């Protein structure tokens, strides 16, 4: 089931251009029984590698804005690297207790991840009223906001191991004036860079099972190749709301699982 789900993650990423990576941590935790903290590290590698593959077709079509990727990517990459190297190791194993219920480091990260999933699902479900203005605009950078947004996305990525495309794409459209398709391609490059660099910023004390990680990543890559092939025949934007509802259900399940059923 875990490997089938890994293929599905790749298919979703290839078909709808993002969002599939949000399922990586739940798959690792609930289907492969990987510890939540370790799962966030594994997810960075899987998300980063699949995003590299996914960005190739955008590069070929000239839909990657390198300048924007650098401007937005630098604070994001720095934040995710520092988060994995210093913040995550500094979080205590037991945060606080309420009666017999103890919030551990793993539970805290899963609850934070579930909240992120619910926000991501909303961005997929809602209908865009001004659907993706493709008219080219003169590019200008709101540097203070880009710095803040890039840092926040980097910290979230470092904590929960998700790519954060649902946060990056609107930021690129609004703050850098990119057309939607170019924003998607550029976001994949940013996600790839910050996720992989964040993974390599992981504490040296973390025991990484590289064979297992390579296997899951390989299945996800197979999925993204299938998804990219299907995207030529299927309009992924029409599937996005349905996928958003699925992500919402998984997010709610995680909250119930980690609080009421743990």
């Amino acid at each position: 089931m875990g490997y089938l789900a890994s293929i599905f993650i790749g298919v979703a990423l290839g078909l709808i251009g993002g969002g599939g990576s949000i399922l990586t941590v739940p798959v690792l935790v609930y289907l492969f029984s990987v510890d939540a903290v370790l799962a966030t590290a594994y997810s960075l590698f899987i998300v980063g590698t699949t995003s590299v593959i996914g960005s190739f077709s955008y590069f070929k079509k000239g839909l990657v804005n390198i300048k924007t990727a650098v401007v937005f990517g630098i604070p994001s990459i720095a934040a995710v690297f520092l988060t994995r190297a210093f913040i995550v190791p500094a979080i205590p194993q037991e945060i606080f207790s309420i009666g017999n219920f103890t919030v551990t480091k793993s539970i805290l990260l899963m609850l934070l991840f579930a909240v992120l999933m619910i926000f991501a699902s909303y961005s997929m479900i809602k209908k865009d009223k001004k659907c993706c203005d493709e008219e080219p605009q003169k590019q200008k950078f709101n540097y203070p906001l880009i710095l803040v947004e890039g840092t926040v996305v980097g910290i979230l990525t470092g904590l929960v191991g998700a790519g954060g495309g649902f946060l990056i794409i609107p930021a690129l459209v609004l703050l850098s004036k990119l057309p939607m398709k170019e924003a998607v391609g550029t976001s994949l490059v940013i996600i790839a860079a910050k996720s992989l660099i964040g993974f390599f910023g992981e504490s040296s004390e973390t025991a990484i099972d590289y064979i297992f990680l390579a296997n899951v990543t390989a299945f996800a890559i197979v999925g993204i190749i299938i998804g990219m092939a299907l995207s030529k025949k299927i309009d992924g934007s029409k599937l996005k709301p349905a996928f958003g509802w699925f992500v919402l259900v998984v997010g709610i399940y995680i909250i119930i699982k980690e609080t009421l059923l743990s």
Side-chain angles (χ1 to χ4, degrees):
M1 286 297 293
Y3 286 118
L4 283 174
S6 300
I7 293 174
F8 176 71
I9 289 167
V11 170
L13 187 60
L15 194 55
I16 66 177
S21 63
I22 200 89
L23 296 176
T24 307
V25 169
V27 166
L28 291 170
V29 172
Y30 299 123
L31 297 183
F32 286 114
S33 300
V34 176
D35 173 72
V37 180
L38 183 58
T40 60
Y42 283 179
S43 179
L44 287 174
F45 183 84
I46 296 164
V47 169
T49 306
T50 51
S51 295
V52 168
I53 304 297
S55 66
F56 281 157
S57 65
Y58 287 92
F59 260 120
K60 288 180 183 177
K61 297 172 185 175
L63 293 174
V64 174
N65 189 305
I66 300 298
K67 183 181 178 182
T68 303
V70 171
V71 170
F72 193 96
I74 287 174
S76 190
I77 288 168
V80 71
F81 183 87
L82 293 173
T83 299
R84 291 311 299 189
F86 301 106
I87 297 177
V88 172
I91 300 173
Q93 289 301 322
E94 292 189 3
I95 314 296
F96 62 87
S97 297
I98 302 174
N100 294 325
F101 178 66
T102 300
V103 176
T104 63
K105 182 177 183 176
S106 294
I107 290 175
L108 176 68
L109 291 181
M110 290 307 295
L111 290 177
L112 180 60
F113 191 86
V115 171
L116 199 66
M117 289 186 80
I118 290 170
F119 277 107
S121 69
Y122 172 75
S123 73
M124 294 180 211
I125 294 167
K126 71 172 184 176
K127 293 181 180 178
D128 290 324
K129 291 182 180 176
K130 62 165 201 175
C131 184
C132 317
D133 182 14
E134 294 295 338
E135 288 296 318
Q137 299 183 51
K138 183 179 179 181
Q139 189 171 26
K140 56 182 180 178
F141 294 98
N142 187 328
Y143 287 104
L145 277 177
I146 287 174
L147 178 64
V148 172
E149 176 91 17
T151 302
V152 169
V153 171
I155 291 170
L156 285 173
T157 296
L159 285 172
V160 303
F166 74 99
L167 291 171
I168 297 173
I169 292 170
L172 295 181
V173 172
L174 296 173
L175 303 181
S176 300
K177 306 300 180 187
L178 290 186
M180 180 60 74
K181 287 183 180 178
E182 197 171 329
V184 172
T186 305
S187 78
L188 282 172
V189 173
I190 295 169
I191 290 168
K194 70 187 176 71
S195 298
L196 289 174
I197 291 172
F199 173 77
F200 291 113
E202 189 66 24
S203 169
S204 57
E205 296 177 4
T206 305
I208 305 290
D209 185 345
Y210 284 98
I211 294 175
F212 167 73
L213 187 55
N215 287 338
V216 176
T217 305
F219 277 89
I221 289 172
V222 169
I224 198 169
I225 292 169
I226 294 170
M228 288 166 70
L230 288 174
S231 68
K232 296 173 183 176
K233 301 177 181 178
I234 302 171
D235 184 359
S237 61
K238 293 180 179 178
L239 298 177
K240 203 169 185 178
F243 184 71
W245 284 108
F246 178 69
V247 170
L248 177 63
V249 170
V250 174
I252 293 170
Y253 168 78
I254 291 174
I255 292 174
I256 295 172
K257 173 80 168 61
E258 296 298 330
T259 55
L260 301 179
L261 303 179
S262 63

